[in-house]
Amino acid sequence: MERFIITGGHPLLGEAEVSGAKNAILPILAASLLCEEECFFEKIPLLEDVFVMCDVLRHYGVKIRWQGSSLHIDPRQLENKDAPEFLMKKLRASNLILGPLLSRFSSACLPYPGGCAIGSRPMNYHMSALTQLGAEICDFGSCIRAKASCLHGTEICLDFPSVGATENIMTASVKACGDTVIRNAAREPEVVDLADFLNKMGARVTGAGSDTIRVQGVNRLKGAEHKVIPDRIEAGTLMIAAAITGGDVLLKGLDPQSSSAVIAKLRSSGVIVKEDSAGVRVIAKKRPRATDIRTMPYPGFPTDMQPQFMAYAVTACGTSVIAENIFENRFKHADEMRRMGADIKIIGEAAVVRGKENITGAQVEATDLRAGAALVLMGLYARGETTVDNVFYIDRGYQRLENSLAALGADIVRRSYDASGWPRQAAQSPCS
Ligand code: UD1
């Protein structure tokens, strides 16, 4: 087990390169199952979730070769098998292989995926959409079996712009007979990146980034090369790290538009955010003003930035109201933040956060990926030492977060500990 030990109070200063987006590469890796030729990917973030997705692909016979942060994928020896339950349960995004497998083999069996415990996260939109494309779906509660001798294009209107359902429909329909129209589609930049990759493989996908995506079925897909877009959630986390510590950080390579909701909220809290061709520079000179947020599908404020923004609101002048509209159980970090002196009241789907200047370091526990990142942000601000346990959650979505923060001047180290909480020898970073 590993933990971060953070001594707060150091303003973050300097430049940081944003990693490739976790939520873009996961569906793209799944989509590589669709073709019978090699694919090559650049700017892959070296994260636990990516390694698990690679293990899932290996299970199906895909050959995978790493070259630094680039990846060769060779799906020529693909075999249809039941999915490996222990791997599928390790990440929610394992559900994204359903569309590609169904398209490639006409049948698929998928245990219910795992991932962060932030809500019930059902699969009903995915199953209903695949049924409309002509699949026969049996939901056994613990797993889903899908069969389709021929998928045929149709018009699907999603009840909610689910990111995963939109992506599974896209991958299931690229080789279907006829045209598919997805209405109320997710508009996230990661959906656009998936469409770009599919089109490089020879698919005909238009409208990604709008609420109507059209997929014209093609017979065959070829291998392709693709560079993953920058991770807007990692970037947002680093922006708040700069803001919460009164720092000045330039995030290189970030498309500011993909982070516009977070940038707008930082500006309304009093932070200077400059956007130019080099990236996004965040300059914080004083304590932030309280700011309300409501999480929404893109281009609204991302739920994956809600815990980090709560950490920021904890330190602000005044009271902020944070409404969580995407996941029903995404305020677990509030309990841990209270251990550090935060004043947070949860009222249904809203958190009322009364900002305080004095936040004190404490021993806290990451309860999920973004909650863990939010506690690290609190530690960067707090007086004294903060210990964040369960770093494995943070490693699922950040490539050595401690290295990115330490390079900007944060006092943060990773330490191993045993089950009784005693320290072990310092951990060696495989990625540093
Ligand atoms: C993706 C992201 C995740 C992000 C989320 C919302 C990836 C790998 N993960 O997750 O980081 O937090 O989008 O931006 O890209 N829902 C249903 N039935 C379904 C599918 C979803 O009720 O069949 C509900 C979910 O419970 C949730 C909401 O729809 O309340 C949004 O979920 P969805 O957009 O599907 O999230 P994911 O694709 O799982």
Side-chain angles (χ1 to χ4, degrees):
M1 289 187 284
E2 290 180 331
R3 57 171 51 130
F4 285 147
I5 299 174
I6 307 161
T7 305
H10 301 276
L12 298 198
L13 303 169
E15 297 181 358
E17 189 79 45
V18 181
S19 313
K22 166 180 94 75
N23 287 352
I25 188 60
L26 294 174
I28 287 173
L29 285 174
S32 68
L33 294 173
L34 284 164
C35 75
E36 287 164 49
E37 292 175 16
E38 271 193 71
C39 292
F40 177 69
F41 301 107
E42 284 178 274
K43 210 172 178 345
I44 308 279
L46 304 173
L47 309 170
E48 260 323 295
D49 276 13
V50 172
F51 301 144
V52 174
M53 185 57 108
C54 287
D55 287 342
V56 170
L57 299 189
R58 276 193 198 97
H59 169 85
Y60 290 98
V62 174
K63 298 222 163 33
I64 291 180
R65 191 158 49 84
W66 284 94
Q67 206 183 334
S69 62
S70 299
L71 197 55
H72 296 260
I73 297 274
D74 179 356
R76 283 176 294 183
Q77 313 285 316
L78 207 63
E79 291 171 71
N80 195 10
K81 300 173 172 177
D82 281 359
E85 195 169 342
F86 74 102
L87 285 177
M88 306 299 280
K89 289 208 176 303
K90 282 190 181 178
L91 81 158
R92 166 75 182 176
S94 58
N95 66 3
L96 297 172
I97 63 166
L98 187 55
L101 284 180
L102 198 52
S103 168
R104 186 82 196 263
F105 294 123
S106 311
S107 72
C109 174
L110 188 84
Y112 262 88
C116 287
I118 54 179
S120 61
R121 306 186 85 171
M123 291 280 293
N124 53 326
Y125 304 151
H126 302 243
M127 292 190 281
S128 156
L130 294 175
T131 307
Q132 291 171 67
L133 286 168
E136 220 179 279
I137 308 263
C138 288
D139 181 2
F140 293 99
S142 60
C143 72
I144 298 165
R145 275 192 186 276
K147 256 192 340 198
S149 47
C150 172
L151 292 168
H152 47 77
T154 187
E155 181 157 330
I156 296 164
C157 183
L158 287 170
D159 287 344
F160 181 88
S162 153
V163 176
T166 301
E167 292 168 339
N168 254 332
I169 302 168
M170 287 161 72
T171 51
S173 60
V174 275
K175 291 204 282 180
C177 307
D179 297 353
T180 299
V181 180
I182 313 169
R183 297 209 186 272
N184 200 23
R187 298 163 61 187
E188 270 68 0
E190 294 77 18
V191 171
V192 178
D193 207 32
L194 173 63
D196 286 347
F197 171 63
L198 291 171
N199 288 337
K200 284 178 188 168
M201 290 203 293
R204 294 200 188 134
V205 181
T206 53
S210 78
D211 61 4
T212 304
I213 297 177
R214 289 169 201 276
V215 184
Q216 219 179 314
V218 296
N219 288 331
R220 196 176 162 273
L221 295 175
K222 57 182 191 309
E225 293 185 6
H226 189 73
K227 185 171 174 185
V228 182
I229 56 168
D231 194 313
R232 63 195 167 98
I233 306 301
E234 182 199 49
T237 305
L238 293 176
M239 281 189 229
I240 292 190
I244 207 170
T245 59
D248 179 346
V249 172
L250 171 68
L251 293 165
K252 293 196 292 186
L254 175 68
D255 167 15
Q257 208 187 327
S258 70
S259 296
S260 58
V262 173
I263 290 174
K265 289 298 173 184
L266 283 174
R267 283 189 176 132
S268 65
S269 75
V271 169
I272 300 164
V273 184
K274 294 183 176 170
E275 302 169 23
D276 62 31
S277 55
V280 175
R281 183 169 166 202
V282 174
I283 308 163
K285 293 195 170 143
K286 47 185 187 227
R287 216 177 135 205
R289 286 191 293 272
T291 309
D292 297 342
I293 61 161
R294 296 169 59 79
T295 64
M296 304 281 279
Y298 189 84
F301 192 94
T303 175
D304 287 353
M305 282 299 301
Q306 178 263 106
Q308 301 90 313
F309 202 86
M310 187 183 283
Y312 185 54
V314 159
T315 69
C317 299
T319 300
S320 309
V321 178
I322 296 180
E324 173 55 61
N325 297 313
I326 308 293
F327 292 112
E328 68 274 17
N329 193 19
R330 204 166 199 180
F331 283 140
K332 283 194 193 158
H333 41 278
D335 284 340
E336 297 301 302
M337 289 177 177
R338 285 191 198 104
R339 289 173 189 266
M340 300 177 72
D343 181 347
I344 305 168
K345 279 198 182 61
I346 307 293
I347 305 166
E349 276 143 25
V352 179
V353 184
R354 275 198 228 215
K356 284 169 102 178
E357 195 157 11
N358 290 330
I359 294 296
T360 324
Q363 178 156 7
V364 289
E365 212 176 87
T367 49
D368 66 63
L369 161 56
R370 307 301 172 186
L375 294 172
V376 170
L377 294 173
M378 295 269 295
L380 296 177
Y381 175 83
R383 233 180 320 146
E385 189 175 279
T386 298
T387 304
V388 180
D389 286 354
N390 291 349
V391 164
F392 63 88
Y393 279 122
I394 301 172
D395 290 339
R396 290 189 44 201
Y398 295 89
Q399 182 175 316
R400 291 277 153 172
L401 181 59
E402 77 276 25
N403 289 354
S404 312
L405 294 171
L408 296 168
D411 184 342
I412 175 169
V413 288
R414 178 185 290 251
R415 291 274 180 266
S416 293
Y417 62 102
D418 64 22
S420 59
W422 286 98
R424 287 222 208 105
Q425 270 195 323
Q428 279 294 313
S429 158
C431 313
S432 55

